Amino acid sequence: MNLLYVGDVMGAVGLEVIERELPGLCKERSVDLVIAQAENVSDGKGTTPADFKRMQAAGVDFCTGGNWSLHRQEIIPALSDPAQPIIRPANYPSGTPGLGWKYINAGGGQVLVVSLLGQIVGKDADKPMDNPLHVIDRILEDQKDVPKVATVVNFHGDYSSEKVVIGHYLDGRVTAVVGDHWHVPTADARVLPGDTAHITDVGMCGALDASLGVTYGSIIPRWHDGRQTRNELEATGCRQFNAVLVQSNEQGLAVAVKSIRRTW
Ligand SMILES: [Fe+2]
């Protein structure tokens, strides 16, 4: 089957980008399942139910999560409902609302999708997170007897070392390990020796002439002069779309992976 993983959809510009790109791309590449990172879709912070619906209307079948997933209370019922295709990271401490993995039907069977948060993520580095390696081991063990056509693990993290190591750690056990959160794509998409597709970071969808989607005007005074500024999302200028396309086999492993980057 052909799985498309779309990088962080950043704000209203990100939504416009996927609305423009997904219909044609999915047709052109015979995509069976579109998974996209939704933690930044609502003004950069979290996901409102309306924006979740807009992601789905644009062609996204399943939304992964990251450090902003729990920012908006109104999305928690969807995060907690196994039938709603949206998750938050699985390695939040027990008792955290929402679910960190779910199944979705695609490609003639069930696809297991999991999000994990890196243990060192920007300002959230001091928050208590469960070890993502322990958590994914537990999920894969608990789900090992459930028939599935593919397993996609999203790793939302800051450290390239963590993002590379988890690919190796899961090689041969899952279809794909896709890193995100940086918003800058890496050039290392490949099928690992055990037939797991991996990329350190898939990049983002949204404004190109910006600091990860945020205006330079709100970032530079903070950095240069130590001023307290609010992040304002860039609404003008060039756009970018970043994704990876993974082709999987009947064993639920990867046979090919390709980065897709479009700018205009
Ligand atoms: Fe993030």
Side-chain angles (χ1 to χ4, degrees):
M1 69 184 292
N2 291 321
L3 298 144
L4 185 73
Y5 189 102
V6 179
D8 300 59
V9 178
M10 185 68 169
V13 177
L15 279 165
E16 283 166 28
V17 162
I18 62 165
E19 283 165 351
R20 171 190 145 129
E21 291 302 310
L22 281 181
L25 180 61
C26 291
K27 216 166 161 190
E28 200 179 291
R29 306 294 176 99
S30 305
V31 172
D32 299 294
L33 177 66
V34 178
I35 303 171
Q37 176 56 261
E39 68 127 19
N40 294 135
V41 71
S42 299
D43 217 18
K45 296 179 178 176
T47 316
T48 63
D51 284 341
F52 173 42
K53 280 207 180 83
R54 203 170 148 194
M55 296 273 286
Q56 292 180 295
V60 174
D61 300 302
F62 194 101
C63 292
T64 53
N67 48 303
W68 287 107
S69 287
L70 296 165
H71 184 65
R72 294 173 191 269
Q73 290 291 315
E74 60 270 35
I75 198 66
I76 287 175
L79 290 171
S80 306
D81 179 351
Q84 291 288 324
I86 182 166
I87 53 176
R88 48 95 171 146
N91 54 322
Y92 277 121
S94 72
T96 303
L99 297 169
W101 57 267
K102 293 179 186 174
Y103 284 98
I104 183 159
N105 284 319
Q110 293 199 100
V111 177
L112 173 61
V113 188
V114 184
S115 274
L116 296 168
L117 199 58
Q119 287 194 282
I120 305 156
V121 178
K123 287 184 197 154
D124 296 330
D126 55 342
K127 291 200 181 137
M129 299 296 303
D130 293 341
N131 184 311
L133 304 183
H134 298 177
V135 171
I136 190 66
D137 281 347
R138 208 155 52 228
I139 294 168
L140 295 179
E141 174 62 22
D142 289 349
Q143 300 304 309
K144 71 176 190 298
D145 296 328
V146 178
K148 47 184 115 43
V149 290
T151 301
V152 176
V153 176
N154 156 233
F155 190 81
H156 196 83
D158 258 340
Y159 267 40
S160 54
S161 50
E162 287 187 340
K163 292 162 106 169
V164 167
V165 168
I166 194 156
H168 168 78
Y169 187 72
L170 295 174
D171 187 18
R173 300 161 69 193
V174 302
T175 314
V177 178
V178 181
D180 56 14
H181 178 67
W182 276 354
H183 294 200
V184 178
T186 55
D188 62 341
R190 66 173 174 136
V191 178
L192 298 173
D195 296 337
T196 292
H198 176 261
I199 187 165
T200 301
D201 203 292
V202 64
M204 66 167 270
C205 296
L208 178 64
D209 296 317
S211 167
L212 319 180
V214 175
T215 61
Y216 293 126
S218 46
I219 298 296
I220 291 174
R222 190 185 310 162
W223 188 13
H224 186 275
D225 307 318
R227 276 171 42 201
Q228 293 220 324
T229 57
R230 270 175 56 84
N231 278 357
E232 306 241 334
L233 298 201
E234 180 58 71
T236 62
C238 295
R239 269 61 170 149
Q240 59 179 321
F241 172 87
N242 291 288
V244 284
L245 184 64
V246 177
Q247 192 190 339
S248 66
N249 61 19
E250 284 178 4
Q251 287 71 50
L253 291 170
V255 293
V257 60
K258 191 179 167 20
S259 289
I260 300 171
R261 173 166 172 78
R262 293 175 175 174
T263 60
W264 61 94

